[in-house]
Amino acid sequence: MIERHKAEVLPQRLAGVLLHPTSLPGGDLGRDAYRFVDFLAESGIRCWQTLPLGQPSHGLSPYQCLSVHGGNTDLVSLDALVTAGWLESFQADQAPQRGEAIISAWDGFKRDAGDREWLRYHTFCRRHAHWLDDYTLFLALRNHHDTNPWWEWPTELRNRDAASLQQARLGLRDETEVHRFGQFLFFSQWHALRDYANSRGILMFGDTPIFVAENSADVWAQRSYFQLDANGRPSAVAGVPPDYFSATGQRWGNPLYHWGNIQKDDFSWWSERIRSQLEWFDILRIDHFRGFESYWSIPAESETAVEGQWEKAPGTELFETLINNFETLPIVVEDLGIITREVTELRDHFNFPGTKVLQFAFDGMPDNPYLPENIIENSVVYTGTHDNDTTSGWYSGLSEEEKQRISCAGDHGEMEPPWPLIICALNSASHLAIIPMQDLLGLGSNARMNMPGVVNDQNWCWRFDWRDVPAGLVPLMRSLIDQSNR
């Protein structure tokens, strides 16, 4: 069955843009999202890559979410609810909070929705009941307990006593129904946007983190799939070992999988997760792919990653199962960092495209795998990712020698940064070249999306403004994309 997957995930040369929906001018799935699709199509860009679309569990990071299946209801367009007739119109400067607006829209839906809309709603709830019932109860209980994490709830709820859960479902029925409706709205609006993008020739490219947040419905509802103690707390957590960038490594704190129990159930948890993602996206990026070969296991009591150790993961068995369970498995893998031969063999065994980042290329070493001349076709190339500085910001911090190396890379005339790297990406052998929107706009470090390992109020907050888009950007991109045969 593996041979069936040997067909390329990326059969054509394409160009794409990386932009999370929260970075749209309106920050949601409303008019600006459709205008952005039109901008991509007019520019000859055929792929829109986002970050994960789940509801952040704390802060704004989309890599720590309350559910691997549920969508971020903060992305729900309120204008669309007004258009549907379920929410009263409002002035732009008097927009209600999303949570309050969804409650009001639910009242409007119950009052005015027709039979067809009710059928769509009930069909959605039935189809997604395998995760939706637990997730909506989790959200209601979380609110009922002052947003405290689930391991601090009363013991009978923490441990999912059947009678206590049933009592909670009855007592919190109205609130769980609002949360169901919120998910229905997100899914409906996202599917409408994806359909529109596909109709304009745009593929939607998603992002799937390898690990899940400890304070999530997934860990609470399926504790046997995670390395937890009797109180529901992790016995070991995820991270990466000490390296050139950090003497103490990185302690992410996510609970690790109990791979033995997951494998006993024929990886059904992962199959369901991938099935949910493929409802949203045409292509999936799998974050921290090396963790499917071996993962860094850190004792939960350790404050840093130094005391961790490598543990084997059943990556081959997992992906063989997924390939057998899905007609197609359009996966791209994030294989950055220090990658071993075993990780490379796992990637290549399944013909998964890997990741190349041009900001890592120009260290003066001719065998650097990120140099444009060393990049292979079966890959996705980026100028930089959401974890990098913008290319203009990065370039401003380079030495003159490093800048000279970049100026010699490819034919870009006299164009200023970030355009030399953008042109390198487009002209590379990679079948898919992704440019962060910040780079297309030529923005500096103040537009950076995330600084890993640093907690501040700037991460995940950036939004662009349509006034930032130069008048000549669309024809310039069309010309560059045509010249690069994308």
Side-chain angles (χ1 to χ4, degrees):
M1 300 297 288
I2 295 174
E3 290 301 318
R4 177 161 54 81
H5 189 70
K6 291 297 184 181
E8 292 178 344
V9 172
L10 307 169
Q12 301 175 292
R13 283 176 60 81
L14 300 175
V17 168
L18 172 61
L19 181 82
H20 198 45
T22 59
S23 293
L24 290 162
D28 62 24
L29 305 180
R31 288 187 292 262
D32 285 310
Y34 288 82
R35 183 178 175 183
F36 184 68
V37 169
D38 292 338
F39 162 77
L40 296 179
E42 292 161 7
S43 302
I45 296 167
R46 301 280 302 282
C47 184
W48 177 0
Q49 182 175 2
T50 72
L51 306 180
L53 295 181
Q55 190 84 40
S57 65
H58 58 277
L60 298 174
S61 173
Y63 290 89
Q64 298 281 348
C65 291
L66 294 171
S67 168
V68 300
H69 301 282
N72 185 354
T73 53
D74 290 336
L75 294 174
V76 169
S77 166
L78 302 189
D79 289 332
L81 303 184
V82 173
T83 300
W86 305 332
L87 183 66
E88 291 185 4
S89 60
F90 54 87
Q91 298 296 322
D93 59 351
Q94 296 179 330
Q97 295 293 318
R98 285 269 185 328
E100 296 173 357
I102 289 174
I103 293 173
S104 297
W106 175 232
D107 290 336
F109 183 89
K110 289 186 290 184
R111 182 184 63 242
D112 298 327
D115 291 343
R116 184 177 180 183
E117 290 162 330
W118 275 109
L119 177 61
R120 288 181 59 236
Y121 173 68
H122 288 308
T123 300
F124 168 81
C125 291
R126 285 195 302 271
R127 180 178 179 182
H128 296 276
H130 67 281
W131 65 266
L132 188 62
D133 291 350
D134 278 324
Y135 182 45
T136 54
L137 180 60
F138 174 85
L139 293 177
L141 286 169
R142 182 172 177 266
N143 291 340
H144 190 65
H145 292 94
D146 301 320
T147 69
N148 288 329
W150 63 266
W151 56 86
E152 295 181 5
W153 298 350
T155 303
E156 62 275 13
L157 294 173
R158 182 191 72 194
N159 293 339
R160 295 178 57 83
D161 172 72
S164 299
L165 290 184
Q166 181 60 20
Q167 183 179 5
R169 287 191 178 96
L170 292 174
L172 298 171
R173 182 169 52 190
D174 290 345
E175 187 172 347
T176 58
E177 205 65 36
V178 170
H179 291 308
R180 278 191 181 84
F181 182 65
Q183 290 301 306
F184 169 71
L185 294 177
F186 172 85
F187 273 69
S188 298
Q189 292 188 10
W190 178 261
H191 281 295
L193 178 62
R194 179 185 175 181
D195 289 346
Y196 181 73
N198 288 169
S199 75
R200 299 226 57 189
I202 310 295
L203 298 175
M204 300 302 280
F205 184 2
D207 196 333
T208 303
I210 179 175
F211 297 117
V212 302
E214 180 185 5
N215 188 26
S216 65
D218 312 286
V219 179
W220 173 64
Q222 295 173 299
R223 284 169 57 172
S224 67
Y225 291 156
F226 300 90
Q227 296 183 32
L228 307 176
D229 63 22
N231 295 317
R233 303 309 310 279
S235 54
V237 297
V240 289
D243 57 18
Y244 174 81
F245 300 100
S246 173
T248 58
Q250 297 180 42
R251 184 189 186 279
W252 298 336
N254 304 74
L256 293 170
Y257 295 112
H258 192 307
W259 279 113
N261 288 345
I262 291 177
Q263 190 165 5
K264 284 179 185 176
D265 288 344
D266 200 26
F267 301 103
S268 60
W269 188 89
W270 268 98
S271 291
E272 289 175 358
R273 186 179 185 188
I274 295 299
R275 186 170 289 108
S276 289
Q277 294 290 287
L278 291 177
E279 276 201 47
W280 292 350
F281 299 113
D282 301 295
I283 307 170
L284 296 180
R285 170 188 180 270
I286 301 295
D287 192 38
H288 194 60
F289 177 73
R290 75 102 52 246
F292 292 101
E293 191 280 323
S294 295
Y295 55 90
W296 190 246
S297 175
I298 306 166
E301 63 273 13
S302 299
E303 295 184 1
T304 72
V306 171
E307 297 179 10
Q309 62 181 11
W310 289 111
E311 301 282 353
K312 294 291 291 183
T316 300
E317 294 83 355
L318 168 64
F319 289 111
E320 284 178 346
T321 300
L322 293 177
I323 286 171
N324 288 335
N325 287 348
F326 293 92
E327 184 175 346
T328 59
L329 195 64
I331 282 177
V332 167
V333 300
E334 184 273 295
D335 54 349
L336 303 174
I338 300 174
I339 301 301
T340 65
R341 175 179 55 82
E342 290 81 4
V343 177
T344 299
E345 289 175 351
L346 179 65
R347 180 198 67 199
D348 293 345
H349 180 68
F350 294 102
N351 205 39
F352 292 144
T355 301
K356 309 296 180 184
V357 179
L358 291 179
Q359 287 189 23
F360 300 155
F362 302 99
D363 60 0
M365 304 300 291
D367 60 347
N368 186 311
Y370 305 126
L371 277 171
E373 58 266 31
N374 295 337
I375 291 176
I376 62 173
E377 288 184 355
N378 195 35
S379 66
V380 180
V381 64
Y382 296 79
T383 52
T385 73
H386 62 278
D387 282 336
N388 293 104
D389 198 350
T390 67
T391 294
S392 291
W394 164 80
Y395 184 86
S396 67
L398 297 180
S399 67
E400 289 304 315
E401 180 182 359
E402 290 168 322
K403 290 178 180 178
Q404 181 61 31
R405 292 186 197 127
I406 296 167
S407 68
C408 296
D411 180 14
H412 47 78
E414 300 300 319
M415 300 183 77
E416 295 294 321
W419 289 99
L421 253 65
I422 292 175
I423 293 170
C424 278
L426 293 174
N427 289 337
S428 73
S430 283
H431 272 173
L432 178 57
I434 297 287
I435 315 299
M437 187 64 175
Q438 294 95 318
D439 287 356
L440 281 188
L441 301 180
L443 301 178
S445 298
N446 61 339
R448 182 171 184 162
M449 190 61 168
N450 180 51
M451 186 173 292
V454 176
V455 179
N456 59 44
D457 56 5
Q458 302 300 313
N459 284 349
W460 316 110
C461 291
W462 176 75
R463 287 186 182 180
F464 83 90
D465 190 302
W466 287 112
R467 291 172 294 186
D468 296 333
V469 180
L473 182 59
V474 167
L476 173 60
M477 286 305 298
R478 288 201 72 90
S479 175
L480 293 176
I481 287 170
D482 286 343
Q483 291 173 24
S484 60
N485 193 31
R486 291 191 182 275

